[in-house]
Amino acid sequence: MTRADREDVPRPDARLHFGVFFQGVNHWTIWSDPSSGSQIDPASFLRVARTAERGLFDAFFLGDGLRLRESGGGVHELDVAGRPDSITQLAALAAATGRIGLVSTSNTTFNEPGDLARRLAGLDLLSGGRAGWNVVTTHNAWTGENFRRGGFLDHADRYRRAEEFLTVARAVWNGWADGAVAESAEARSWSVPDAVGRVRSRGAHFDVDLAPTLPRSAQGHPVIFQAGDSGEGRDFAARHADVVFSAHGTDFDDALAFAEDVRRRLRAAGRPEDALRILPGTEIVIGATRKEAEEKARWVRLEQVTPAVALGIASRLWGFDLSDRDADGPLPAEEPVAAWDTGRFGTRWVDDPRAEAAVWRAKAEANGWSLRETVIELGPQRGHVGTPAGLAEKFARFARHGALDGFNISPYLVPDGLDDIVDLLVPELQERGVYRTAYTGTTLREHLGLAPVA
């Protein structure tokens, strides 16, 4: 039960922040529904971004991919959607929107800091200070095959490279002093003397010597987002990020434990607890009644977890190819294997696959579930289901108790999947005082309530 008494909650004036995540390659977006549109047509990106802006969302996030996943020597069919270059797509959206933040998922493993920092700075200036950078690393060699040096980096080295990368990028963004450009036609030169500093950095991963080409934007420089959930990832976020994504946004106690862990790491890094916003990824299914919402959620899951998808998810847990099995038949009798091809099957979501498989078998036997039904009930779970009023009460409790600062929402339909959230849920949140009624700033940093860049 939500406690309404302002004295009972640690953050009675909390406001929720919403982002929308346009995923691209995935199986969670229901492509087979008649109302589903293209996931690569620029009109779809524009429709989603404008709907989010109408709903006063903080940001539009665009997933990026340097190569489509492959399986058995061919493109992995269950993922095929395609992804444009994120910065190019967001630059187009900057001209068609006015307030919403524009966040690029850009990789530190197979980019170079001087070039990527310049491109992100360009997006930030073009949008009037609305750019963000979701800092990600890549763990696989098949992406590396697109690049001359190829290969991949060990987990710890990925974060070392990312940290050095971000240090260089920030130096590039801070390279121009405020007021660097001469304000008078009578000035002796176009810039104030010594206003543009040279960036020189020699480290384990980069050797940089450059003069930045652009001044700072209205928000200083792009907002930094990070999504790593490992210990190294959380420490990286605590040291460097402005916003952290997580998978800890469905269960209240789990979300609160994650938030408290991140705040502990923030303190250890010498940063204040309010320096970082926590936005778990989620899916939201809304119905006029609880029963209607649950029926819709069941339809969503059946459309998302087709027989082929169910076998693919089970393959991730078991660690070997199950595509020739019957999705409406029983679970595999074999035990999961320790090693598997992450490029083909993806990352496991559990630490102990054999223990998880035992749970699946016990539950399937007790309930008479097929493999597909078991995946739907026990596989990777997503999001929240309920009425607009019920969800608003639930989310208000999460925010006011400090379990999170908002959500990064993945619509299950593109491009119209945000309509229910904007038209039905947002007004309920506004009525409870936990969601803005208008944009009060112009930059992404202002939307998120973050301190100005020094």
Side-chain angles (χ1 to χ4, degrees):
M1 179 177 178
T2 301
R3 293 184 286 183
D5 188 341
R6 292 171 63 86
E7 299 300 322
D8 274 339
V9 296
R11 301 184 177 193
D13 298 316
R15 294 286 183 92
L16 285 160
H17 301 271
F18 280 173
V20 58
F21 181 35
F22 198 110
Q23 296 183 81
V25 176
N26 73 98
H27 69 265
W28 298 110
T29 304
I30 301 171
W31 60 268
S32 57
D33 187 80
S35 65
S36 180
S38 169
Q39 293 188 59
I40 55 175
D41 186 338
S44 294
F45 294 94
L46 182 58
R47 170 81 168 90
V48 173
R50 283 181 168 167
T51 302
E53 189 167 65
R54 179 168 62 85
L56 306 174
F57 279 42
D58 288 56
F60 175 97
F61 300 85
L62 186 56
D64 200 9
L66 301 176
R67 179 171 175 167
L68 290 176
R69 282 205 302 165
E70 296 182 8
S71 176
V75 173
H76 184 55
E77 312 179 311
L78 301 179
D79 272 357
V80 176
R83 291 177 175 177
D85 176 75
S86 58
I87 295 176
T88 302
Q89 182 63 64
L90 294 173
L93 293 177
T97 58
R99 292 294 185 91
I100 193 165
L102 303 165
V103 183
S104 169
T105 301
S106 297
N107 190 291
T108 62
T109 306
F110 296 112
N111 275 300
E112 296 297 322
D115 177 65
L116 183 58
R118 178 183 58 84
R119 294 169 60 213
L120 288 166
L123 176 63
D124 208 19
L125 281 171
L126 184 69
S127 63
R130 293 188 281 140
W133 174 22
N134 180 24
V135 180
V136 296
T137 66
T138 291
H139 68 275
N140 55 64
W142 52 270
T143 296
E145 290 173 356
N146 282 8
F147 297 87
R148 183 174 181 179
R149 64 185 173 86
F152 64 97
L153 296 173
D154 290 336
H155 189 272
D157 288 335
R158 283 159 39 207
Y159 278 107
R160 293 188 189 101
R161 179 182 170 92
E163 193 143 7
E164 187 178 333
F165 196 117
L166 185 54
T167 299
V168 174
R170 282 189 165 132
V172 172
W173 296 331
N174 291 329
W176 284 42
D178 293 335
V181 178
E183 297 180 355
S184 168
E186 285 73 41
R188 198 173 74 179
S189 63
W190 69 274
S191 67
V192 176
D194 301 320
V196 178
R198 197 164 191 88
V199 176
R200 291 185 173 93
S201 177
R202 178 168 292 181
H205 294 275
F206 306 109
D207 188 356
V208 176
D209 186 347
L210 60 84
T213 60
L214 293 170
R216 300 208 302 184
S217 73
Q219 69 174 351
H221 52 67
V223 175
I224 301 300
F225 295 74
Q226 200 270 339
D229 197 26
S230 65
E232 294 95 330
R234 296 185 191 194
D235 283 339
F236 182 90
R239 290 193 301 272
H240 299 293
D242 301 304
V243 181
V244 62
F245 298 145
S246 83
H248 304 275
T250 304
D251 177 78
F252 176 82
D253 291 333
D254 177 58
L256 186 59
F258 175 84
E260 290 175 343
D261 178 67
V262 168
R263 292 183 192 117
R264 178 183 62 77
R265 294 172 193 263
L266 278 166
R267 292 192 297 271
R271 299 178 68 194
E273 289 186 1
D274 64 353
L276 186 67
R277 301 290 173 265
I278 300 172
L279 300 183
T282 197
E283 179 182 271
I284 298 175
V285 180
I286 297 174
T289 65
R290 179 71 193 185
K291 181 179 179 182
E292 179 184 306
E294 290 174 348
E295 289 174 348
K296 185 188 288 187
R298 178 67 179 175
W299 170 80
V300 168
R301 290 293 277 165
L302 284 170
E303 292 296 309
Q304 291 171 331
V305 185
T306 64
V309 167
L311 292 168
I313 292 174
S315 295
R316 286 172 57 194
L317 179 58
W318 262 264
F320 56 87
D321 189 4
L322 298 173
S323 61
D324 60 346
R325 307 294 176 98
D326 180 6
D328 294 319
L331 292 168
E334 303 94 327
E335 289 299 318
V337 300
W340 76 107
D341 179 357
T342 57
R344 185 172 185 182
F345 302 123
T347 304
R348 280 170 166 156
W349 67 96
V350 295
D351 294 328
D352 188 342
R354 291 200 170 197
E356 185 70 10
V359 171
W360 281 31
R361 289 193 183 104
K363 292 279 190 179
E365 183 176 352
N367 293 280
W369 292 337
S370 67
L371 182 150
R372 184 186 181 199
E373 290 169 330
T374 306
V375 170
I376 289 174
E377 297 295 335
L378 302 179
Q381 299 299 305
R382 296 169 60 81
H384 300 270
V385 178
T387 64
L391 290 170
E393 288 290 331
K394 182 180 184 180
F395 295 165
R397 177 177 181 242
F398 274 62
R400 288 171 174 160
H401 285 269
L404 46 77
D405 295 296
F407 293 103
N408 196 29
I409 300 167
S410 296
Y412 54 83
L413 284 175
V414 169
D416 301 330
L418 286 183
D419 289 1
D420 281 355
I421 294 166
V422 170
D423 297 333
L424 303 175
L425 176 59
V426 164
E428 293 284 350
L429 293 168
Q430 291 170 329
E431 185 176 319
R432 288 159 178 78
V434 292
Y435 196 82
R436 64 169 61 97
T437 56
Y439 288 114
T440 56
T442 60
T443 70
L444 177 54
R445 194 168 297 276
E446 289 172 326
H447 297 343
L448 290 162
L450 296 168
V453 172

